[in-house]
Each structure stands twice: as structure tokens, then as C-alpha cells.
Amino acid sequence: PPPLLLCLKSLSARACTQAPLLVYAARGPGTAAANRYWSRALCQRPALSPGRFRAREASGAMAGFQALTDATVGVSSHAWSPDGKEIAFSPNSNELRIVDAATLAQKHAMNEHDMLVSAIDWHASSNFIVTCSHDRNAFVWNYDEAEKAWKPSLVILRIERAALDVKWSPDGQKFAVASSAKCVPVCYYEQDNNWWVSKMIKKHKSTVLSLAWHPCSQVLATGSSDFKARVFSAHVSVVDAAQDAGGFETPVGFGEPYAEFACSGWVHAVAYSPSGSTLAFAGHDASIHFARFDGGGAPTVQTIRFPFLPLCQLLFTDEATLVGAGHDANPAVFSAGGSGWGVKKFLDKK
């Protein structure tokens, strides 16, 4: 069977009083483990409150799992609700489903997209859901308390090829979409006209595979199949306050690059640390790179080449710990010490 591709998502800190969670989903046809979601608590406390997904034991024992779909169907994308009580996911189709996280009982099903839903993001404070699809469109979903239903707002992305990834900015004012059209629409809500407007970042030479927002919500990192990771200004004066350069010395205009980093393969994933001082990106050449931004000067980059298969997703759990998951079907933990970053352990011990 083909190797598993793993997706990393974390619950909001407000959703779990004991510890942040790492949740990863295995997907791939022909594998018995497809579409199963495991919860892993990266701490010494062994369990969540009753009714939630079971957490990883401190001893490292395999956690319990619940299957969202049949193993032959698949899960193309998923996201947790802000309170951790619901999961939004797409069963490898144009459908968006929302289920109860404790019982997996279906609560809502939406079919506004025409093609496969490639990415979902659920904002922690606004409670808005954004989805993007191979149909080249995005929808912003708002829950109507009176009707007890999710209401869609169509966002015309103005791209000619599939949308692959979508991320809300931390402040919820904007979202960005990675696309096969060599560009990144950055979308914001225009109050006067009551619609979502997109502005384009066009400096890529090939498909944009991944996105990550800086905590200031005005700087955006991208990973592309042109073997580059880039950092752009995403400041939109209509919705943003005074411009923040996100650790760089001099602000630049929207869509202009702050930095560009070379890789020896497709850049599958990018991620910012919680403070925004470190940017990590993973390449298809079985490498991970850590760019450190200090004092507004040129960033310093540390590269780690590892003997296992490439990583496809990255998630910082704190300033000194990062989890990467990919074709090895076993998430790796990287940690920072006095001599820099290094591989600490694998989550599943064989």
C-alpha cells in the first residue's frame, strides 16, 4: 500500500484544561489504518475529561481511536471546533460534515462545494469555518443560532486551478488560500458591500502547497513546489491596524516578500512558533529547516536532514517543541536545546 500522509491539528488551549492536544489523521487507500484519528496528550497527565477522545498514556502506550469514516472512504481534511466538542471534516468528497467529538453522531452536513473539499479551518474566537475546494472556490460558514444551521457565504477566489490549503489569520480578519495557480488569495470581509474580497500574492513559480500565519496576522509564510519557502507581507489596510513587520526590520507593501529560503525539494509544510520568532519548513528531500528571526536582522537558518521519509505537516506545541508527520506514518518530535534543534523521539514506539 502507499505510504500514509498525516495531518496535524491542535485543539485550542481553551478546549482542554489539562494540556494541548496533538491530533493526527492517517489517510490513504489500501491501508487498514485509514481515516482513524488518534489523540495524543503531550504531557504527563494521562487523560482528558470523560467523553472526549482518550489521550496518550504517560507510559507511551497506544491511545484509543475512533473512526470518522469507513477505511475505504477516506478523510481529505478536518478541523476541531474552538471548544473541542465538534469535528468538521470532509469524507474525501464535496461534503462538509460536522459531528459530535464524543459520540461521532452527525450534526450537520453541507454540500455547497462542487468538488473535493481540500482544506478546512475553524477559527478559535469568531467560530467561523472556512473551506476551500478543488472547485477553485471557498466558503465561509457562520452558525445561525435561530435556525440551528450553518449558513455559507461564497468567496470567489479568482484562481484558475484547485485550492489546496486554507488558514485563518490569528485575529480572524483574513484568511489565505494556497492554490495550484501559483498564487495565494488573501481574503477579507468588506463591510460596505457585504462580501469577501480577495487580494493576490503572485510571487510563486509553481503550486503553493502550504501556508502559515505569523501571530501578528500581517505576515504570511508559504511553501511551494518550486523548492522555496517564502515570507510575505499580508497587511491589508482596510482591516488591519498599524503595519507590523513580524520580526523584520522594515515593513513592505502587500504581496512583497520579506524573505525567501531555498530547499532541495517541494516544501510540503510551513509553521510558525507561538511567538513568531521561529519559522519551520519541511522539504520533500527529507529535511526540516528552522529560520530564527532575532532583532530585525537577517534570519539564521538551521537545516536537519534525517534518515526517515519526508514530513508533510508541522505543528509547534511550544517555543522549543515541534511535531512533524509524514510518509513514515509515525510523528517525530523535534526539540530545541543549547546547540539548536534536533530529533528527540517518535511518538509511536515500536
Side-chain angles (χ1 to χ4, degrees), residues 16-70:
C16 175
T17 58
Q18 295 188 347
L21 283 183
L22 161 68
V23 179
Y24 62 96
R27 68 181 189 267
T31 64
N35 322 319
R36 292 176 178 174
Y37 279 64
W38 290 270
S39 295
R40 299 281 195 259
L42 302 179
C43 67
Q44 296 302 311
R45 280 167 276 196
L48 296 175
S49 57
R52 302 280 181 87
F53 284 80
R54 283 182 289 166
R56 184 183 182 91
E57 297 293 338
S59 63
M62 176 65 74
F65 64 83
Q66 293 176 278
L68 283 174
T69 68
D70 184 83

Side-chain angles (χ1 to χ4, degrees), residues 165-251:
D165 193 16
V166 64
K167 292 286 193 312
W168 282 110
S169 62
D171 63 7
Q173 296 292 321
K174 299 170 290 189
F175 63 87
V177 180
S179 78
S180 300
K182 307 180 186 178
C183 62
V184 177
V186 176
C187 306
Y188 63 95
Y189 186 70
E190 197 171 77
Q191 295 279 356
D192 293 342
N193 295 308
N194 191 28
W195 60 25
W196 290 84
V197 179
S198 61
K199 296 185 69 173
M200 291 294 182
I201 296 176
K202 297 182 177 181
K203 304 290 184 177
H204 302 86
K205 298 179 181 178
S206 188
T207 297
V208 184
L209 300 171
S210 55
L211 303 164
W213 284 95
H214 188 277
C216 73
S217 297
Q218 298 185 27
V219 174
L220 182 69
T222 65
S224 173
S225 57
D226 63 7
F227 294 22
K228 296 287 179 65
R230 297 176 175 88
V231 182
F232 294 97
S233 169
H235 176 263
V236 177
S237 58
V238 176
V239 295
D240 289 327
Q243 188 167 3
D244 188 330
F248 291 94
E249 188 172 1
T250 306

